[in-house]
């Protein structure tokens, strides 16, 4: 088994050390591969143009948590997304921070501070607000636990509605009921054909008046113009965004200067190079031993 890594200079330095310790073969960059047929795994953000030369290829590993940037894989090649507990905890932390900011009216107070304006609004207890999380996967469940510990009522929405301890769960078909009670809406969905543009006019219209949006999924989940309209109409009170469409958000985009919006530049999490390498090793070993592939992505589910 041999892995080809196509990624950043940092990963190019760290991964060979991790692979050497584990006694596994790694090639960094296509130019280093003399015999493409010997490559069994490719870890990358952008895959090679022509995968057909890698005749022994078994898996492509996304070096990120998502796979929405990758094209469909040819038949017989499995796709794995990086499972990294460190990244998941970082996103949980960002979501907790952003939810607290939305809950405690930080966008308003930041705007007031720029005008040196001391004006106190009403403070609401966490227990009086319901946070609704779209996407109750690995990260959604972590975020739900963190927010529940702070006293928020938490509800979750997923395709299956699979029960989660202590959380009011809603399945895909029950979206309207879920939205009706979400004072703060958090998006932690993967980007798929079914979820692209989901944060738009129709969804915002079903939220309680003055709801808040926290978005750490992918930029293309969000209709940015619909967000502006919902803010102007008072339908939404504020938004805290880690992801935008496009990224980077152009300097002239109106949301930069909207006092109701806080934007961070896709920094909820950043992959730790060592953690990513360890994930790739677990994939290689699972394939070698015929076990289920960690982070396996089922294309037929729309990823
Ligand atoms: P998972 O695959 O573990 O979970 C995805 C969840 O979304 C599941 O609950 C799934 O439901 C649900 N879901 C998927 N499609 C639909 C749909 N059409 N309708 C309703 N629910 C749906 O993903 P993770 O928790 O690991 O990651 C979630 C996302 O977080 C990533 O895809 C990425 O977009 C984002 N992310 C952002 C980062 C950042 O820096 N901002 C960093 C890392 C991740 P079910 O289980 O029932 O299928």
């Amino acid at each position: 088994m041999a892995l080809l890594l196509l990624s950043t200079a940092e990963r190019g330095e760290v991964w060979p050390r991790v692979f050497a310790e584990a006694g596994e073969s790694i090639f960094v960059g296509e130019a280093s591969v003399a015999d493409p047929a010997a490559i069994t795994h490719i870890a990358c953000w952008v895959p090679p143009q022509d995968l057909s030369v890698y005749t022994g290829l078994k898996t492509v590993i996304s070096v990120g948590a998502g796979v929405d940037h990758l094209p469909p894989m040819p038949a017989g090649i499995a796709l794995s997304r990086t499972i990294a507990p460190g990244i998941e905890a970082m996103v949980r932390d960002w979501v907790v921070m952003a939810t607290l900011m939305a809950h405690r009216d930080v966008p308003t107070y930041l705007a007031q501070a720029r005008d040196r304006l001391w004006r106190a609004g009403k403070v609401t207890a966490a227990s009086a607000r319901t946070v609704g999380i779209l996407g109750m996967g690995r990260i959604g469940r972590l975020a739900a636990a963190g927010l529940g510990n702070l006293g928020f009522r938490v509800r979750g929405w997923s395709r299956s509605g699979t029960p989660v301890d202590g959380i009011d769960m809603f399945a895909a078909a029950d979206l309207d009921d879920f939205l009706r009670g979400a004072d703060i809406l958090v998006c932690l969905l993967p980007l798929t054909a079914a979820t692209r543009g989901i944060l738009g006019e129709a969804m915002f219209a079903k939220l309680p008046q003055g709801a808040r949006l926290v978005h750490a999924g992918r930029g293309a989940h969000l209709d940015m113009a619909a967000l502006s309209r919902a803010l102007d109409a008072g339908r939404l009170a504020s938004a805290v965004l880690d992801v935008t469409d496009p990224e980077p958000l152009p300097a002239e985009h109106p949301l930069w200067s909207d006092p109701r919006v806080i934007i961070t530049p896709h920094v909820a999490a950043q992959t730790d190079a060592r953690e990513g390498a360890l994930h790739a090793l677990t994939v290689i070993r699972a394939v070698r031993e015929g076990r289920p592939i960690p982070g396996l992505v089922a294309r037929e589910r729309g990823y």
Side-chain angles (χ1 to χ4, degrees):
M1 299 256 170
L3 178 134
L4 167 61
L5 173 67
L6 304 175
S7 189
T8 57
E10 190 201 358
R11 287 193 184 99
E13 264 186 41
V14 174
W15 284 44
R17 287 204 295 272
V18 178
F19 272 60
E21 281 165 24
E24 298 286 353
S25 305
I26 184 167
F27 295 84
V28 178
E30 283 195 272
S32 69
V33 178
D35 176 15
I39 298 296
T40 48
H41 306 273
I42 296 177
C44 59
W45 186 259
V46 181
Q49 283 282 332
D50 183 12
L51 280 177
S52 67
V53 300
Y54 298 98
T55 50
L57 190 62
K58 295 178 187 305
T59 65
V60 169
I61 302 169
S62 166
V63 292
V67 292
D68 47 279
H69 54 285
L70 289 169
M73 289 298 133
I77 297 177
L79 181 62
S80 165
R81 68 193 187 95
T82 292
I83 302 292
I87 298 177
E88 292 162 4
M90 283 181 202
V91 182
R92 184 264 327 272
D93 293 350
W94 186 92
V95 167
V96 167
M97 173 196 72
T99 304
L100 282 172
M101 289 172 103
H103 164 60
R104 295 302 295 262
D105 299 317
V106 170
T108 303
Y109 293 126
L110 281 180
Q112 285 187 191
R114 281 191 286 272
D115 294 337
R116 301 169 187 225
L117 177 61
W118 183 286
R119 188 167 61 206
K122 182 175 173 296
V123 177
T124 301
S127 57
R129 283 225 164 93
T130 299
V131 180
I133 302 180
L134 296 165
M136 285 294 287
R138 295 179 61 91
I139 301 175
R141 288 195 298 267
L142 264 189
L147 292 164
N149 286 340
L150 291 172
F152 289 104
R153 295 184 298 243
V154 183
R155 52 175 55 193
W157 182 71
S158 70
R159 196 165 20 194
S160 56
T162 304
V164 176
D165 262 1
I167 308 293
D168 263 345
M169 281 300 298
F170 295 74
D174 302 321
L175 180 61
D176 290 4
D177 285 347
F178 164 85
L179 293 171
R180 249 192 296 282
D183 301 312
I184 301 177
L185 184 68
V186 173
C187 179
L188 282 169
L189 287 164
L191 182 62
T192 67
T195 64
R196 185 173 291 273
I198 192 167
L199 301 174
E201 203 104 50
M203 182 168 274
F204 299 151
K206 290 171 188 150
L207 290 167
Q209 184 76 11
R212 290 121 208 254
L213 174 68
V214 167
H215 184 26
R218 288 285 184 258
H221 285 132
L222 176 61
D223 177 340
M224 308 272 285
L227 171 61
S228 288
R229 289 194 297 275
L231 289 163
D232 289 344
R235 163 68 37 203
L236 289 181
S238 65
V240 186
L241 313 176
D242 185 52
V243 288
T244 60
D245 187 19
E247 288 181 11
L249 191 62
E252 63 280 7
H253 198 283
L255 283 185
W256 276 123
S257 53
D258 191 316
R260 300 157 299 191
V261 179
I262 292 177
I263 297 170
T264 58
H266 204 142
V267 289
Q270 282 171 357
T271 316
D272 175 76
R274 187 175 166 79
E275 217 180 15
L278 292 174
H279 170 78
L281 284 175
T282 66
V283 170
I284 291 172
R285 287 171 180 163
V287 169
R288 181 182 291 136
E289 292 158 20
R291 287 184 283 109
I293 296 174
L296 183 69
V297 174
R299 278 280 174 193
E300 64 277 14
R301 296 193 78 188
Y303 287 90

